[in-house]
Amino acid sequence: MVLLAAAMLLLASVAAEDERIIGGQSCGRHQQAYQVALMDSPNTVRCGGVLIDPSWVLTAAHCDTVGPISIRLGEYSLKASEGTEQCIKSTQSFPHPNYNLTSHDYDIMLLKLQNTANLNNYVKTIGLPDRCPDPNTECLVSGWGTTQTPKGTGAICNGVVAGSGREMEGIWGPAE
Ligand SMILES: [Ca+2]
């Protein structure tokens, strides 16, 4: 589970280049109970995020908006009402103070929820890693992307392999 959160951080960086997970396969229904959706409208996902505490969501800084963000927890299919969804708005956003709008460095943000999430089989928190995954570690990313076009509505999972620090520098540039 720790690795999943690490992968999510990686995905948050990837999202700046490509807003969606492409490929992969459908997640098991409600298998990623920590996964949340930041909504632009009732059927449009703005960004993914993860529940790290009943009152806190971790997402990417580029997902910030001026006002509160509607957050859907316990979600799987965006089109069907499954009776497991909880809709809670954010009350405060905390983008990383060094977030750079152009380079998307430090593209990470915490959202405080207006109400505490009800934890159950469909809504769970995920632990944060205390270190980066070792190179070649298999990680899982999830969100509402698409296994094909046109885009689907169920949650999508995909595997990624963690790269070494040197490989990451090749992709993202040297660390400051
Ligand atoms: Ca649903």
Side-chain angles (χ1 to χ4, degrees):
M1 295 295 263
V2 165
L3 294 176
L4 292 168
M8 187 271 164
L9 299 186
L10 175 64
L11 180 64
S13 301
V14 172
E17 294 291 321
D18 181 355
E19 294 289 342
R20 294 180 166 275
I21 297 173
I22 304 295
Q25 61 283 320
S26 294
C27 298
R29 201 167 273 267
H30 302 296
Q31 291 302 296
Q32 279 67 43
Y34 49 83
Q35 174 82 52
V36 307
L38 280 54
M39 307 303 293
D40 264 340
S41 67
N43 285 320
T44 308
V45 173
R46 175 178 186 79
C47 282
V50 290
L51 191 68
I52 59 168
D53 175 277
S55 296
W56 292 93
V57 161
L58 180 69
T59 184
H62 74 265
C63 302
D64 201 8
T65 61
V66 175
I69 302 173
S70 293
I71 300 169
R72 201 92 64 82
L73 304 84
E75 181 62 283
Y76 177 75
S77 169
L78 296 171
K79 283 198 168 168
S81 176
E82 293 135 320
T84 57
E85 298 90 345
Q86 295 177 39
C87 299
I88 304 177
K89 287 194 171 174
S90 65
T91 182
Q92 259 186 300
S93 62
F94 299 89
H96 193 290
N98 294 336
Y99 172 57
N100 184 309
L101 206 61
T102 307
S103 67
H104 292 290
D105 287 345
Y106 300 98
D107 192 5
I108 189 165
M109 174 171 70
L110 285 168
L111 295 174
K112 178 90 190 283
L113 302 182
Q114 274 183 5
N115 305 107
T116 305
N118 260 334
L119 300 186
N120 54 37
N121 285 341
Y122 310 101
V123 177
K124 295 178 181 174
T125 58
I126 186 171
L128 289 174
D130 54 13
R131 61 184 179 86
C132 293
D134 292 328
N136 300 318
T137 304
E138 278 193 42
C139 303
L140 181 76
V141 292
S142 58
W144 281 271
T146 176
T147 55
Q148 56 191 353
T149 52
K151 63 186 178 184
T153 57
I156 302 300
C157 286
N158 207 348
V160 295
V161 177
S164 67
R166 185 166 297 170
E167 287 167 333
M168 291 300 104
E169 282 188 6
I171 296 170
W172 305 111
E176 290 176 7

